[in-house]
Amino acid sequence: MINSTDNKAVTGTVPRHVAIIMDGNNRWARKRFLPGVAGHKAGVDAVRAVIEVCAKEGVEVLTLFAFSSENWARPQEEVGALMELFLFALHREVRKLRDNDIRLNIIGDRSRFDPVLQRAMADAEALTSGCQGMQLLIAANYGGQWDITQAARSLARDAAAGMLDAEAISVEDMEARLCTGDFPLPDLCIRTGGERRISNFLLWQLAYAELYFSDLFWPDFKHDAMRAALADFACRQRRFGKTSEQVAAES
């Protein structure tokens, strides 16, 4: 694990797809004797910083875990404040994304969100639909188990309708039905806040991802911290079941 604030440029391999569990907003706020929502508001600056670094370094896809399917269990006041912040951020940030050629996609089950927020999501995606640069995925009311289940149901419906041979369903078929089916699988998963788990995030997709854990709370995970994570990734050897010697011979 690296928590360095070293400002060295990243010179090695850059991950195509980075996925981040943005953890520690509430704890950041509590340390400052602030309400939890203050931490979420402060976390918006970290989102901007991470987007800037990833876009500059050539990351193709950045997925941010904004609100899990389990987060509905939090206090109603906090959930309501998060929904307001999400709506505000969509309105305020989407034009900046478009101006920087970043396309926004929101993944997850939108059915539980207020219709006003659902419309804002659709409008934001439409506004950036022509962008050709980095793809920004926001996981909202998302859970990895839900994602796998909805993909399995989709395949089952096609099989029942005679459109698909159930015995011929492949790993690739399953991946195509996941929320991230149009994007490369994550190469690097980052979690801030000091926890060492993936908390029902992209369960299928992270099968071969490199994991990076930072003790920094999310509002403190800014430009240098993101560069450190990318630098750590560049030093790793990804074997995908092969030996180090085999990988070295292929490179």
Side-chain angles (χ1 to χ4, degrees):
M1 182 183 66
I2 295 178
N3 287 326
S4 170
T5 55
D6 189 345
N7 199 29
K8 251 192 297 191
V10 176
T11 57
T13 303
V14 176
R16 294 184 66 195
H17 185 169
V18 176
I20 304 180
I21 301 171
M22 305 180 293
D23 193 22
N25 289 324
N26 278 330
R27 284 173 287 158
W28 181 93
R30 281 198 300 270
K31 282 187 65 175
R32 291 158 178 78
F33 304 101
L34 298 170
V37 69
H40 294 289
K41 289 180 179 177
V44 174
D45 289 336
V47 170
R48 292 195 197 100
V50 164
I51 290 173
E52 288 174 11
V53 172
C54 286
K56 182 178 180 180
E57 296 295 345
V59 172
E60 296 176 26
V61 184
L62 172 63
T63 300
L64 302 178
F65 201 10
F67 191 84
S68 77
S69 50
E70 290 77 29
N71 285 154
W72 295 106
R74 293 193 172 194
Q76 187 174 355
E77 182 180 353
E78 180 180 351
V79 171
L82 284 171
M83 295 302 105
E84 290 179 9
L85 180 59
F86 192 10
L87 184 62
F88 176 75
L90 281 173
H91 287 152
R92 187 179 69 174
E93 303 294 331
V94 67
R95 284 176 177 76
K96 297 177 186 176
L97 295 176
R98 182 192 60 187
D99 292 344
N100 286 280
D101 202 28
I102 296 171
R103 183 171 182 174
L104 175 67
N105 295 273
I106 299 169
I107 62 173
D109 181 4
R110 303 188 194 188
S111 63
R112 193 167 176 180
F113 291 118
D114 182 274
V116 173
L117 184 51
Q118 292 186 44
R119 285 195 296 274
M121 293 178 184
D123 290 344
E125 289 176 324
L127 192 64
T128 65
S129 61
C131 295
Q132 300 296 314
M134 189 177 74
Q135 302 271 345
L136 174 62
L137 276 58
I138 302 295
N141 194 25
Y142 176 89
Q145 293 172 331
W146 166 85
D147 197 3
I148 294 169
T149 301
Q150 66 83 28
R153 286 174 177 164
S154 174
L155 291 169
R157 284 193 295 268
D158 284 356
M163 301 167 58
L164 188 65
D165 178 2
E167 295 300 321
I169 293 174
S170 66
V171 169
E172 291 75 20
D173 292 329
M174 188 71 170
E175 286 180 359
R177 302 296 176 101
L178 297 169
C179 287
T180 55
D182 293 332
F183 306 97
L185 294 172
D187 301 294
L188 171 64
C189 178
I190 299 168
R191 181 173 187 144
T192 62
E195 303 291 355
R196 269 66 173 167
R197 57 179 179 268
I198 58 174
S199 297
N200 197 23
F201 181 48
L202 301 176
L203 294 180
W204 178 291
Q205 296 92 327
L206 294 180
Y208 274 98
E210 297 293 316
L211 304 181
Y212 180 93
F213 300 106
S214 171
D215 290 331
L216 293 173
F217 295 140
W218 176 247
D220 295 325
F221 195 85
K222 301 288 181 63
H223 299 81
D224 289 337
M226 186 66 226
R227 292 189 189 102
L230 293 177
D232 179 79
F233 175 86
C235 295
R236 301 189 188 189
Q237 184 187 60
R238 306 184 73 201
R239 296 188 292 274
F240 298 98
K242 298 179 181 179
T243 66
S244 298
E245 293 76 15
Q246 285 176 303
V247 173
E250 293 170 356
S251 62

